[in-house]
Amino acid sequence: MRDTVQPADLSFFSMLSASGSLSAAARELGLTAAAVSKRLTQMESRAGVALINRTTRRMMLTPEGELYLEHARRILDEIDELAELLGSAKKSPKGLLRVNATLGFGRSHVAPAISRFVAKYPQVSVQLQLSVKPPPLTDDTFDVCIRFGEPPDTRVVARRLAANRRLLCAAPSYIQARGIPLTAHDLTRHNCIGIRQGDEAYGVWRLTSGRGASRKTEAVRINGTLTTNDGEIAVKWALEGHGILMRAEWDIKQYLADGSLVRVLPDHETPNADIFAVYSQRHQMSNRIRAFVDFIALDLQSEAGEHP
């Protein structure tokens, strides 16, 4: 019973699961596929259960494999954190860092920041996964998630990295053809480009105008001929003159600067989309996570021209 799980198996199985196939894991580990398969078979023999269902093209974790992976990752994280708390990694962060971000922002901003981060901290290995929908906040698959808006869940730590306004915009060609809306209600008569992302309510734009006692917020149900779940595609459609778009300033500031897009209803405010780094409370003492969050905060603020 003592040999059911061996410490070296934990990191091996975590790497194998992340790779997605035996051949990919073999390349990552510098082994042959046969050697990886043999080691997995030995692990399953010691555990007395199948951990992975293997086919010619892919592999899937069994329920026991899912349980094994969950505990393996938790144990590996705790080992890394213990080493950091004891001072062995205080001078130079090291270890594996798993990061999740949205597709567009992750591709254009997070990935370049990670490139600069690993150049500064070469002992840190980073796995970046981009997704349309953010993973659940309680999911232990990732160490840090970069997301828009502060999450309401108090079980996680959310650190604001940079401001990010949502703006209404359209191409000059669209404005010339259809005119410019003067009130929030006018949007109902325009072609508005819809974006379905995350858990946000689709098809309703909330706009706030006025000051003091006259300040009010309107919920406008938009209509349009184009809808997508990809923000970059929506921006391209707006640039091509297909309609009015609500998009984060980070994604359209270059087009506003060169005149390819113009602001619509600039005196109206929309819900902000400030950028946050989200991670679990038990990870907040991790040296590599603190180093990464500090680094990307400065990186984004520098890019935006903010001061920390």
Side-chain angles (χ1 to χ4, degrees), residues 15-272:
M15 173 64 73
L16 178 60
S17 303
S19 298
S21 69
L22 295 179
S23 58
R27 289 192 298 269
E28 191 76 22
L29 295 168
L31 302 172
T32 64
V36 171
S37 179
K38 181 179 179 181
R39 183 167 180 181
L40 175 59
T41 300
Q42 291 171 340
M43 285 178 56
E44 292 176 325
S45 177
R46 286 193 293 270
V49 293
L51 300 175
I52 291 179
N53 288 325
R54 307 187 268 293
T55 66
T56 55
R57 293 189 175 183
R58 59 179 300 188
M59 62 183 194
M60 295 182 61
L61 298 182
T62 65
E64 292 79 11
E66 294 280 2
L67 181 64
Y68 194 108
L69 178 62
E70 177 186 352
H71 285 267
R73 284 176 171 166
R74 183 180 307 143
I75 293 168
L76 290 169
D77 284 343
E78 289 175 354
I79 290 172
D80 285 344
E81 288 166 19
L82 176 59
E84 292 171 2
L85 290 173
L86 291 175
S88 64
K90 284 186 177 179
K91 290 185 178 180
S92 181
K94 62 182 178 181
L96 175 64
L97 184 68
R98 300 163 298 173
V99 181
N100 176 270
T102 57
L103 286 172
F105 189 79
R107 187 182 300 117
S108 59
H109 299 286
V110 178
I114 288 175
S115 176
R116 293 185 283 271
F117 176 75
V118 296
K120 183 176 181 180
Y121 300 108
Q123 290 183 293
V124 178
S125 300
V126 180
Q127 292 179 354
L128 173 64
Q129 179 171 314
L130 304 181
S131 57
V132 173
K133 186 175 182 179
L137 296 175
T138 54
D139 191 343
D140 201 37
T141 303
F142 301 101
D143 300 306
V144 183
C145 293
I146 308 300
R147 59 190 298 162
F148 298 103
E150 183 173 11
D153 198 322
T154 58
R155 292 171 294 175
V156 298
V157 179
R159 176 174 166 183
R160 181 181 176 276
L161 301 176
N164 189 32
R165 297 182 298 170
R166 287 187 174 99
L167 304 177
L168 294 174
C169 63
S173 60
Y174 176 85
I175 298 300
Q176 184 177 3
R178 297 288 300 274
I180 191 163
L182 301 177
T183 68
H185 181 72
D186 287 347
L187 291 171
T188 61
R189 296 190 290 270
H190 279 266
N191 200 48
C192 297
I193 299 171
I195 303 178
R196 296 178 181 268
Q197 286 185 333
D199 297 322
E200 296 180 2
Y202 166 73
V204 176
W205 288 354
R206 298 186 182 278
L207 289 84
T208 302
S209 60
R211 295 183 179 180
S214 64
R215 187 174 176 81
K216 65 176 182 178
T217 298
E218 299 177 68
V220 180
R221 181 162 292 281
I222 62 166
N223 299 290
T225 57
L226 294 174
T227 304
T228 180
N229 68 341
D230 188 298
E232 290 187 19
I233 290 175
V235 171
K236 289 180 180 178
W237 285 342
L239 289 167
E240 292 165 356
H242 290 293
I244 296 174
L245 174 69
M246 180 190 290
R247 193 63 183 158
E249 186 175 15
W250 278 79
D251 296 322
I252 59 173
K253 58 184 178 181
Q254 68 187 89
Y255 304 116
L256 293 174
D258 65 19
S260 300
L261 294 175
V262 296
R263 292 279 303 274
V264 172
L265 296 174
D267 56 338
H268 286 64
E269 299 175 18
T270 61
N272 70 52

